[in-house]
Amino acid sequence: MKNPYKKTLTACYLGFVTQAICANFAPLLFLTFHNTYNIPLGKIAFISTAFFFTQLLVDLFCARFVDGIGYRKSVVASEILSASGLIGLTVLPELLGDPYIGILLSAIIYAIGSGLIEVLVSPIVEACPFDRKDSVMSLLHSFYCWGAVGVILFSTAFFAIFGIENWRILACIWALIPLYNVYNFSTCPIRHPAEGGEARGIRKLFRIPVFWVSIVLMVCAGASEISMAQWASAYVESALGISKSIGDIAGPSLFAVTMGLSRLLYGKYGEKIDLLKFMIGSGALCLVCYLMSALGQHPALGLAGCILCGFSVGIMWPGTISISSSRIPLGGTAMFALLAMAGDLGGSIGPGIVGFVTESSGDSLKTGLLAACIFPVVLILSTCLLKMAGSQKQMSCAAEQ
């Protein structure tokens, strides 16, 4: 008989595609917003800040309240909010007196939806009765990568064929995906991640040593991934001297492709691979990639480091979630929410450090990327600590003795 949880998995796949749309579509229009509505670039840059800060607040909200609201209601709301924010981009700038307020409000609405997806989808899949949860989790997270690539490439093709002035039509087209997924999440079976036992509260989680190691891993995973992803386009342009449109494809798009391939390969062959060893090897490769980009004298070598970095960071986020789930089986919603918050925090801190060091060193982006080497180093050390610690009993039970 067909596994009914296959529909749940499909809904979660589309959930991560929805998150990729929310995170990557509006930035493609920033210059258009600037030219159409005469919004200063400084104010436009704040849109991304508001997006990620809203996700952080949602992470905290989920840690406290989602269990009471219920997973199905919350994840259905995530898709409705995501679609509403995307559609809001097309109407609120003209409807409200200030176009910037309309864009910012729309971004906050779909950021709430995106934040809910980020927290809820992983535990929903973790609770499903699948074998090799770490492989399933890796494959799940690859859909964010494919979604990001699809948004960039399809949007670029749409603008080339129909003109960027028709971006409102494309926004409504992208909104169809979360609207369709409302039906999927409304009808698919959903189990609570702590079903069969009482979930640990936030205070109990903070007493578990392995949880703190997982938090450090998530901060470093987010920082390692987003530092390179956000600076990839600028790096490719400065290193190779090519146009921004080609740079976006050669940098962020190929970075996302290799990151997706890493998650896809582990999702398919994960049963043959030791997850902790794979993460240690990925951390080492990430360090090598950052050093290639920062110290490589030939532009092609730097570009290779930038692209391969996507492969190296692919397993870090889903791998940490899988390790935490296996070591703390009753972590519940609070654990997933706090891990997501740590990842988002790393994604905020990492690019900021790169930018600060770059500016302080006379706009040397290579020096900024060299400073970011600290994140894969700490990730390798933390993963080695988990590897040496061994069984769940040695770490997670220490606080209960």
Side-chain angles (χ1 to χ4, degrees):
M1 188 172 68
K2 184 178 180 181
N3 188 344
Y5 288 94
K6 292 284 187 179
K7 184 174 183 179
T8 308
L9 193 58
T10 299
C12 291
Y13 288 160
L14 290 178
F16 270 124
V17 171
T18 297
Q19 189 187 25
I21 294 169
C22 293
N24 294 280
F25 177 61
L28 299 175
L29 299 169
F30 280 175
L31 191 58
T32 301
F33 293 154
H34 170 67
N35 295 329
T36 303
Y37 300 116
N38 295 317
I39 302 172
L41 291 176
K43 293 178 71 174
I44 286 178
F46 183 73
I47 296 173
S48 292
T49 303
F51 177 85
F52 286 106
F53 183 71
T54 300
Q55 287 202 156
L56 280 170
L57 294 179
V58 171
D59 294 341
L60 290 172
F61 171 85
C62 288
R64 294 294 302 272
F65 301 110
V66 162
D67 283 330
I69 297 173
Y71 265 64
R72 189 181 303 278
K73 291 180 181 178
S74 299
V75 78
V76 167
S78 74
E79 299 292 336
I80 294 174
L81 288 165
S82 298
S84 299
L86 290 168
I87 295 172
L89 280 177
T90 70
V91 296
L92 291 182
E94 282 76 19
L95 189 62
L96 301 179
D98 186 345
Y100 176 70
I101 297 299
I103 295 170
L104 188 62
L105 180 59
S106 299
I108 291 173
I109 292 171
Y110 63 65
I112 296 173
S114 176
L116 286 170
I117 291 169
E118 181 178 51
V119 173
L120 297 172
V121 168
S122 291
I124 287 174
V125 170
E126 187 65 34
C128 291
F130 295 121
D131 296 328
R132 292 296 303 178
K133 293 287 182 65
D134 51 353
S135 298
V136 175
M137 191 67 68
S138 180
L139 181 61
L140 168 71
H141 281 257
S142 74
F143 275 81
Y144 176 85
C145 307
W146 309 131
V149 174
V151 169
I152 295 172
L153 297 183
F154 184 82
S155 297
T156 301
F158 181 92
F159 296 148
I161 297 171
F162 300 104
I164 199 165
E165 64 275 8
N166 290 309
W167 64 267
R168 294 174 184 83
I169 297 174
L170 183 57
C172 292
I173 292 174
W174 286 127
L176 292 176
I177 292 179
L179 286 175
Y180 168 71
N181 218 26
V182 168
Y183 168 77
N184 286 334
F185 276 125
S186 298
T187 56
C188 70
I190 294 178
R191 296 170 60 179
H192 194 280
E195 197 168 295
E198 183 181 354
R200 298 176 187 269
I202 295 176
R203 291 184 179 180
K204 288 184 178 179
L205 285 173
F206 286 152
R207 299 193 191 110
I208 302 174
V210 73
F211 176 72
W212 285 104
V213 178
S214 297
I215 289 291
V216 172
L217 280 174
M218 285 299 286
V219 170
C220 292
S224 298
E225 174 186 330
I226 305 300
S227 294
M228 184 64 80
Q230 286 203 354
W231 287 101
S233 180
Y235 176 82
V236 171
E237 288 181 66
S238 61
L240 302 182
I242 59 180
S243 67
K244 176 171 175 54
S245 58
I246 302 299
D248 286 343
I249 295 175
S253 292
L254 290 180
F255 177 93
V257 167
T258 55
M259 184 165 68
L261 286 174
S262 172
R263 293 173 175 176
L264 183 64
L265 288 173
Y266 187 82
K268 188 171 183 179
Y269 302 107
E271 70 277 2
K272 302 176 183 178
I273 303 172
D274 184 304
L275 177 56
L276 284 172
K277 288 182 179 179
F278 188 59
M279 288 185 65
I280 292 171
S282 294
L285 176 60
C286 182
L287 177 60
V288 170
C289 290
Y290 268 96
L291 290 174
M292 287 171 61
S293 298
L295 303 177
Q297 297 300 313
H298 196 282
L301 186 64
L303 177 60
C306 176
I307 295 172
L308 285 175
C309 185
F311 187 90
S312 71
V313 300
I315 194 59
M316 293 179 180
W317 191 299
T320 302
I321 291 176
S322 294
I323 291 169
S324 303
S325 299
S326 63
R327 299 286 179 95
I328 315 173
L330 295 179
T333 308
M335 181 185 73
F336 287 99
L338 292 173
L339 289 176
M341 185 186 70
D344 286 336
L345 181 63
S348 301
I349 293 174
I353 290 177
V354 173
F356 175 78
V357 174
T358 297
E359 183 178 355
S360 301
S361 58
D363 292 336
S364 172
L365 185 52
K366 288 190 173 185
T367 304
L369 292 176
L370 185 62
C373 288
I374 185 63
F375 300 117
V377 169
V378 174
L379 185 137
I380 294 169
L381 294 175
S382 301
T383 312
C384 288
L385 178 62
L386 285 179
K387 185 68 176 174
M388 290 186 294
S391 68
Q392 171 186 345
K393 185 176 180 180
Q394 287 178 287
M395 295 190 74
S396 63
C397 293
E400 299 176 5
Q401 294 177 350

